[in-house]
Amino acid sequence: RLTFGVLDVLTDEDPITNYGVGRLRLDLGEASYIGAIATVRTPGDQRNDVTAGADFFVRAAEGKLELSGFASGSFGPEDPITDPDAPPPGIERGAAGRLAARYRGRVARAEISGLWVGPDFDPAVGFVRRKDTVQLDASLTLQRRTNALGLENVDVIFRGAQLFDSGFDTHQGSRGGAELALGWVSGWYAYARADYVEDIVFESFELAGRTVQPGTYRGLQTFFGISRSDARNPYFSLDYDAVSSYFGGVRQTGSASFGVTATRHVRLVVSGALSHIELPTHDPFFLWTANARLTVAPTTTVQLDAIFQVDAVAEVTGTLVRLRWRYLPGSDLYLVYRERRPYGDSRGDPD
C-alpha cells in the first residue's frame, strides 16, 4: 500500500546544480490515496530552492463520485548570493492548490474544478504555465449508448472556464462551448467542437518573432477530427482547428498522426502539425512541428524508445533515446541520451 520514489540529478551548469525529487504515496483502497512530494534545487553554494506539497484522490459512492486536489508551497531565496560576507537573502514564499469533484453516472458525467496559483509560486523543478491566476472549470457530458449505424456511443459535452487573478480582482479571460463525439464499434471516432473564446493580454509579448499587443481578443474556435483507436493496428488521426480570436488575427492548424505495429516487437508512430497564422500588422506565416517515435522490445524485459522531433517555432531538432532493462519485477535500469540541436537563424552549439 505504500510506494515511494527518489530521483537525484547533477547537471553541468554554471554553477553545477543538483536537483532532487522525492515522492510518497499511501493507497487507501477503492483507488483512493494520499501522497506527498518534495523537490530541492541547489545551485552551487546558493541557498536551496524547495517545493513541497500534498495531494489526495478519493473515490466514493460506489465509484460514481471522485474528489481530488493538491496544495503546494515554494520556498526560495529572494536574491542569489553574490557576496559571501553579505547577510543571507530573505525567503520568498509562494503557494498553489487545486480542488476537483467529478460525478460518473451511466448517462451523465459532471466535473467542476478550481486551480489557484499565487503570484510568487515558483517551483524550481518543473514549470508553471501562468502565475497569479485562478482558473474555474466546469463540464457536463451526456452519453447515449446505441447500436444504430454501427455506433457504440454518442456524447454531447458542454464545458466552460473562467480566469481571474489570484485575488479575484481582475478578469483574465473565459471560454465556453459544446462538443459532439461519435464512437463506432469498429474503433473509429469523430468529433466536432465549437467554443467562444476571450483572451485578455495585459503586456505585449513575442510570438514567433512577431509582437502581440495588449488587448481583449474575442472570437470563435472550432475543432473537427476523426481518429481510429490506438488499440487498433494501424492507428490514425486527422484534426483541423481554427481560431478567429488569435490575438486579433486568425490561426488555422491541421495535425495528423499515424501509428503501426510492424511486429509484436516493433512499433512506429509519426505525427505532425502545420499552422497558418495571420496577425494584425504582420504578413501571414506558417509554423510546423514533426515527431517520430520508434519502440523496439526484443524481450519482455528490454525496451528501446527513440524519439526525434523538429520544432520550426524554436528552430531546434530534438533526439531522445532511452534503453530500459527490467532486471527484477518492479525494478528498472535506464540509459538515456538526449540532444537538442539548433538550426536556421538560431544555429548554435547543441545541448
Side-chain angles (χ1 to χ4, degrees):
R1 298 175 56 189
L2 180 65
T3 59
F4 70 91
V6 177
L7 174 68
D8 193 75
V9 177
L10 189 66
T11 62
D12 187 14
E13 297 175 286
D14 187 16
I16 293 177
T17 304
N18 191 84
Y19 297 86
V21 182
R23 168 67 171 163
L24 185 70
R25 182 172 129 166
L26 177 65
D27 292 332
L28 304 177
E30 297 295 329
S32 302
Y33 68 84
I34 56 174
I37 191 170
T39 68
V40 180
R41 175 180 177 268
T42 307
D45 58 356
Q46 306 294 313
R47 176 176 287 178
N48 292 339
D49 289 305
V50 179
T51 304
D55 63 311
F56 73 93
F57 180 87
V58 176
R59 181 172 291 173
E62 298 180 349
K64 294 183 178 180
L65 180 63
E66 297 176 348
L67 303 174
S68 62
F70 76 85
S72 181
S74 63
F75 313 89
E78 293 179 337
D79 299 296
I81 299 174
T82 57
D83 184 358
D85 298 326
I91 298 295
E92 185 175 72
R93 297 174 174 85
R98 182 178 187 268
L99 285 175
R102 182 184 182 191
Y103 175 78
R104 303 172 55 186
R106 293 188 59 185
V107 177
R109 298 192 297 271
E111 183 173 1
I112 58 173
S113 65
L115 171 67
W116 181 85
V117 181
D120 298 321
F121 184 65
D122 187 18
V125 180
F127 65 94
V128 177
R129 291 187 59 189
R130 192 169 186 172
K131 299 181 183 180
D132 190 18
T133 187
V134 173
Q135 180 172 327
L136 306 176
D137 293 274
S139 67
L140 173 64
T141 301
L142 304 176
Q143 183 176 83
R144 171 69 184 274
R145 295 191 174 275
T146 178
N147 55 10
L149 303 176
L151 287 166
E152 185 176 33
N153 59 276
V154 177
D155 292 354
V156 178
I157 306 166
F158 303 94
R159 57 170 66 90
Q162 293 286 338
L163 286 173
F164 302 89
D165 72 330
S166 59
F168 286 94
D169 298 319
T170 305
H171 185 235
Q172 296 182 339
S174 61
R175 173 184 292 267
E179 177 179 348
L180 174 65
L182 307 176
W184 280 267
V185 178
S186 59
W188 285 93
Y189 300 91
Y191 25 87
R193 186 175 75 234
D195 291 324
Y196 171 79
V197 180
E198 179 187 54
D199 285 323
I200 303 176
V201 178
F202 296 95
E203 297 180 3
S204 62
F205 66 94
E206 295 293 321
L207 174 65
R210 285 81 172 174
T211 301
V212 175
Q213 299 296 334
T216 299
Y217 304 100
R218 300 183 179 94
L220 186 67
Q221 179 175 9
T222 56
F223 179 87
F224 306 93
I226 186 169
S227 67
R228 192 182 188 206
S229 170
D230 57 6
R232 307 277 178 161
N233 189 32
Y235 156 78
F236 173 81
S237 72
L238 183 64
D239 303 313
Y240 171 76
D241 180 17
V243 186
S244 65
S245 62
Y246 196 69
F247 307 118
V250 177
R251 189 204 72 199
Q252 301 181 74
T253 301
S255 58
S257 62
F258 176 79
V260 60
T261 302
T263 72
R264 63 192 183 115
H265 303 291
V266 179
R267 179 171 175 81
L268 174 66
V269 178
V270 294
S271 61
L274 175 66
S275 295
H276 179 261
I277 299 176
E278 301 178 25
L279 293 176
T281 70
H282 294 286
D283 294 331
F285 60 98
F286 289 92
L287 297 176
W288 61 275
T289 60
N291 302 271
R293 176 170 182 165
L294 176 67
T295 301
V296 181
T299 72
T300 58
T301 58
V302 176
Q303 178 174 309
L304 176 71
D305 294 295
I307 301 173
F308 181 74
Q309 180 184 62
V310 180
D311 185 346
V313 181
E315 292 188 330
V316 297
T317 62
T319 303
L320 177 66
V321 181
R322 185 188 71 169
L323 178 65
R324 188 194 76 181
W325 173 35
R326 177 152 292 183
Y327 58 92
L328 288 174
S331 301
D332 299 285
L333 180 67
Y334 295 94
L335 182 63
V336 179
Y337 172 80
R338 176 181 177 270
E339 180 185 68
R340 284 171 58 85
R341 183 177 293 273
Y343 71 90
D345 295 337
S346 64
R347 184 180 299 276
D349 295 331
D351 296 330

